[in-house]
Amino acid sequence: MMLMSGLLLTYSAIVSSFMVGILWNSDTCDKLLFQELDMFIDCFFMVEIILTFFIGITHHGEYCDDIRVIAPVYLKSTFVFDLVTSLPVSFFEIDSLFVCRGANPEMEAESDNNAFRFVRVIKPLKIARILRTLKLMKMLKIFSVVGDYFRIPPFLARSMKIIVFILLLVHAASCMFWLIKEVSNTPENMQRFLTTQGFPGDTAENTANPYQKYVIAFYFVNTVFCTIGFGDIAGMNTAERLYCVFLFYLGVLVFGSLLAEVQDTVNKMNGESRARENRINTMVDFLRQEEVPMALEKRLGNWA
């Protein structure tokens, strides 16, 4: 259950963030590539909420599987967040496809407006998918399971967990940056910005596709998180500037955590290397003190 939840959260953190942030202005009436998988994921997380009421917890230092105890604890902790991030948006998207296909020139004006008003409501609901990224710590429990199974050194498993966490965080921040840029700018301003990035849009070849838009956002967020800041991309309006300020503070935490983790990993690796070298030196000192033959000393050294 935990492994399946972690894998689906990984999908949501990667694919759903991209589809919401980068493809925000795509036609709502177009069927998404992974529509069926999204429906399965929404169903899974809704079922997971129900099953959480029946999964035992540690309460006041003791294991408890009584639903009368589990329910109040869950309702007061993460129930609301889990409910909001598990909204079955994919089912609304499927419904919107039927609305789009049912709308035609022969429909009455009022009916047509109501139909497409419903379609427009779908877009804000998609933002709930990005919120699933906040469940990253739950998803990263996979590394503990994998580390225990493959007997990976704890410091190495922890380093991998930190690196994956930072990459997913940068990915989500990149998608959110592009979403804010799309929402807070007119099509004309967006085209001016893309022109400065080498996509004037005068031909099909010079028009930025979703992948190229993502690379621009990913590049910018990485320059912020790594405290480089070339200045070739900056906030163009109030919404973007406020989000950039948020990224500045978030980037300091991320960059500091990465440096601390790298330093800790290097220290542990060097410490183990030094400890092994000290053991070998102690052994060599003992062998030479006891005047052990050189051939045996070399064999013992190679074995150590």
Side-chain angles (χ1 to χ4, degrees), residues 201-230:
D202 51 352
T203 63
E205 295 181 354
N206 293 331
T207 301
N209 57 41
Y211 170 74
Q212 292 164 331
K213 293 177 181 178
Y214 173 77
V215 171
I216 294 173
F218 188 74
Y219 160 79
F220 168 69
V221 172
N222 273 281
T223 61
V224 173
F225 277 22
C226 295
T227 66
I228 298 175
F230 292 116

Side-chain angles (χ1 to χ4, degrees), residues 70 144 164 170 259 281:
I70 298 173
S144 300
V164 171
V170 171
L259 282 181
N281 290 337

Side-chain angles (χ1 to χ4, degrees), residues 18-28 120 122-127 178-179 182-183:
F18 179 87
M19 296 175 70
V20 174
I22 307 300
L23 302 180
W24 177 260
N25 279 338
S26 61
D27 192 350
T28 310
R120 287 194 296 269
I122 300 302
K123 281 192 173 182
L125 293 177
K126 293 180 179 180
I127 299 178
W178 196 263
L179 172 61
E182 290 276 11
V183 172

Side-chain angles (χ1 to χ4, degrees), residues 96-144:
S96 70
L97 291 177
F98 289 108
V99 171
C100 293
R101 292 168 183 173
N104 56 68
E106 298 179 358
M107 294 177 62
E108 297 181 359
E110 182 178 356
S111 176
D112 183 75
N113 290 334
N114 290 335
F116 283 97
R117 190 178 297 115
F118 170 78
V119 172
R120 287 194 296 269
V121 171
I122 300 302
K123 281 192 173 182
L125 293 177
K126 293 180 179 180
I127 299 178
R129 289 183 174 176
I130 295 183
L131 296 178
R132 287 179 184 168
T133 308
L134 300 178
K135 295 182 177 181
L136 284 175
M137 297 311 298
K138 180 179 179 180
M139 178 194 68
L140 293 176
K141 291 181 180 179
I142 296 177
F143 285 91
S144 300

Side-chain angles (χ1 to χ4, degrees), residues 56-66 68-74 76:
I57 60 173
T58 301
H59 187 61
H60 296 311
E62 297 182 358
Y63 177 79
C64 178
D65 57 3
D66 187 350
R68 293 172 297 181
V69 177
I70 298 173
V73 173
Y74 182 46
K76 292 178 182 178

Side-chain angles (χ1 to χ4, degrees), residues 7-20:
L7 292 175
L8 295 182
L9 280 173
T10 303
Y11 167 86
S12 297
I14 298 175
V15 179
S16 295
S17 297
F18 179 87
M19 296 175 70
V20 174

